[in-house]
Amino acid sequence: MMQLELDQDGHLVHYQIWTPEIAQQLAQPLDIELNDWHFSILFALRTFYQDYGYAPATRPLIKYLIKTVQTDISNQLLMEKFNTGLVARHLTRLAGLPKPPNCL
């Protein structure tokens, strides 16, 4: 297991080093094995960050994912598939991105 440099909230300090293997390591506390569907979400989130320069909160994230990944994505579906109630926070963490600015 690679030793990762994380901030106090568990996000990568240097988002540029992210790989799917790092995402799987970050997913271990959520007790999930990431698959192609999960990675389609995480890659879309990284694209959002590259395009807009920030990590989105849950509502804009879901709107973006509906347009770019799958039309029936919902907060509930993301909570179930990623085993978390904190969708934006955990998805940005798994995607190797900084915490969204409005997350506590």
Side-chain angles (χ1 to χ4, degrees):
M1 186 181 311
M2 185 187 312
Q3 184 66 27
L4 301 173
E5 188 177 355
L6 305 175
D7 67 13
Q8 75 257 15
D9 296 310
H11 293 255
L12 285 177
V13 171
H14 305 288
Y15 79 92
Q16 302 89 339
I17 69 163
W18 183 89
T19 64
E21 293 77 23
I22 288 174
Q24 190 59 61
Q25 187 175 336
L26 293 171
Q28 287 175 347
L30 298 176
D31 198 29
I32 56 172
E33 184 72 30
L34 299 176
N35 60 34
D36 290 344
W37 185 87
H38 293 103
F39 284 112
S40 69
I41 301 295
L42 298 179
F43 281 114
L45 186 50
R46 290 184 65 81
T47 299
F48 183 102
Y49 186 80
Q50 290 169 344
D51 290 350
Y52 299 103
Y54 67 93
T58 301
R59 191 170 296 163
L61 169 62
I62 291 170
K63 287 182 179 182
Y64 181 77
L65 294 175
I66 286 170
K67 288 181 185 176
T68 60
V69 178
Q70 179 179 324
T71 57
D72 65 343
I73 285 183
S74 66
N75 191 44
Q76 184 65 33
L77 178 65
L78 294 172
M79 287 172 28
E80 289 172 15
K81 298 282 190 184
F82 283 94
N83 198 26
T84 181
L86 302 169
V87 170
R89 178 137 180 216
H90 283 292
L91 266 62
T92 55
R93 190 177 65 78
L94 295 178
L97 300 173
K99 184 173 75 169
N102 60 345
C103 285
L104 301 175

